[in-house]
Amino acid sequence: MAGRLSFLDRYLAVWILAAMAVGLGLGRLIPGLGDTLATVTVSGVSLPIALGLLAMMYPALAVGSVIGWIAASAVSERCGHAGVAEHSVYVHPGVRGRGIAGALLGGLITSTEAAGIWTVQSGIFPENAASLAVHRRRGFREIGTREYIGRHHGVWRDVVMIERRSEAIT
């Protein structure tokens, strides 16, 4: 599959890192930007996070092929959970092992912190060692296993719960 990837697909991780750098730069140049942007939502979805993720996904969208994606949503409507998001990440099997998931996670962490999100969580099937490892490298920790909570192809599955707490938001 590597021979058939377009230029943009091959360098998607670089594009994502550049998008993250722009977000970090704006956050440093304009104090309080993260707090202001955290208040901008549409139907419970953080508009800055959605736009940031779209900017990071632009190369894949522009060429008509998606080799990876990441998405986040609010865990609860309760005000005490306003800074908690759950995420999912996917990378096409043909391009795994190239740093795409790590770059997507890095972009998610940058954008969620800029939006005032203090905890990002997810659930991963226990046998998905690669996903658990990339999350661990990005600062996520395992908080436990929920038994028979996920259903996949008609089979009840255990799910390892993970979370990352922001060091930037206290």
Side-chain angles (χ1 to χ4, degrees):
M1 177 137 187
R4 292 184 279 141
L5 290 176
S6 72
F7 176 83
L8 289 175
D9 285 340
R10 278 192 300 261
Y11 296 101
L12 179 62
V14 173
W15 175 270
I16 291 168
L17 289 172
M20 289 171 31
V22 168
L24 284 171
L26 286 172
R28 296 207 191 278
L29 287 172
I30 307 169
L33 180 64
D35 293 334
T36 303
L37 291 177
T39 64
V40 182
T41 62
V42 175
S43 297
V45 176
S46 169
L47 196 56
I49 291 174
L51 292 175
L53 291 173
L54 233 119
M56 288 184 280
M57 292 176 9
Y58 173 75
L61 296 173
V63 297
S65 64
V66 176
I67 60 173
W69 57 264
I70 195 161
S73 61
V75 169
S76 173
E77 299 259 340
R78 296 179 181 171
C79 61
H81 296 190
V84 183
E86 183 157 4
H87 82 285
S88 295
V89 61
Y90 173 81
V91 175
H92 188 282
V95 294
R96 290 183 182 156
R98 297 180 185 201
I100 295 168
L104 288 168
L105 283 169
L108 177 72
I109 291 164
T110 300
S111 63
T112 53
E113 286 183 343
I117 303 294
W118 59 79
T119 299
V120 177
Q121 66 184 36
S122 191
I124 301 172
F125 291 139
E127 68 275 5
N128 193 343
S131 184
L132 289 167
V134 73
H135 280 86
R136 205 172 296 117
R137 286 192 299 271
R138 288 296 179 164
F140 286 80
R141 67 184 182 99
E142 293 182 19
I143 57 173
T145 300
R146 296 190 71 189
E147 297 178 348
Y148 303 107
I149 193 73
R151 193 161 187 159
H152 187 246
H153 299 297
V155 177
W156 288 103
R157 307 285 304 281
D158 293 351
V159 174
V160 176
M161 303 306 295
I162 61 168
E163 72 175 12
R164 181 187 183 279
R165 303 248 175 153
S166 171
E167 295 176 4
I169 301 171
T170 55

